[in-house]
Amino acid sequence: MAKGYWVSAYRTIADPEKLAAYNKLAGPAVKAAGGRVLARDGRVVAHDAGIAGRTILIEFDSFEQAVAARASAAYQEALAALADGVERDFRIIEGLD
């Protein structure tokens, strides 16, 4: 079964306090849903139209698990705390077998 991944690239952080509130809720929500953080806040080299900002990579055992984690009540609470605090590109992608 192919793994699922969350890829989140932040374009701007308008409200660091909202991001901090989101982080407090999102971490436990992701962990409870079976997610494993593979990369966060490390060095980034951007190419083409990319932005070398905060980037997060989270792995799940399956694509379906990754989609369900995003829809979970716990993660929705984290998103509500984040609100308009950031602009980001968030994707859920299926890995290769």
Side-chain angles (χ1 to χ4, degrees):
M1 177 180 303
K3 293 186 179 186
Y5 296 89
W6 286 7
V7 181
S8 185
Y10 287 66
R11 299 179 191 283
T12 61
I13 298 173
D15 190 333
E17 290 181 12
K18 287 183 178 179
L19 179 57
Y22 163 83
N23 287 338
K24 285 183 182 178
L25 296 169
V30 167
K31 187 173 183 179
R36 296 171 297 283
V37 178
L38 299 181
R40 176 183 55 222
D41 296 334
R43 297 186 302 169
V44 175
V45 176
H47 295 279
D48 302 324
I51 297 170
R54 176 183 171 93
T55 304
I56 314 295
L57 177 62
I58 299 173
E59 179 182 65
F60 292 86
D61 288 336
S62 70
F63 179 78
E64 291 76 18
Q65 186 181 23
V67 170
R70 173 69 167 70
S72 73
Y75 190 72
Q76 292 302 306
E77 183 181 353
L79 286 177
L82 182 60
D84 61 353
V86 303
E87 179 186 355
R88 66 183 183 161
D89 179 354
F90 182 95
R91 298 170 189 226
I92 301 173
I93 62 170
E94 184 175 37
L96 302 174
D97 284 333

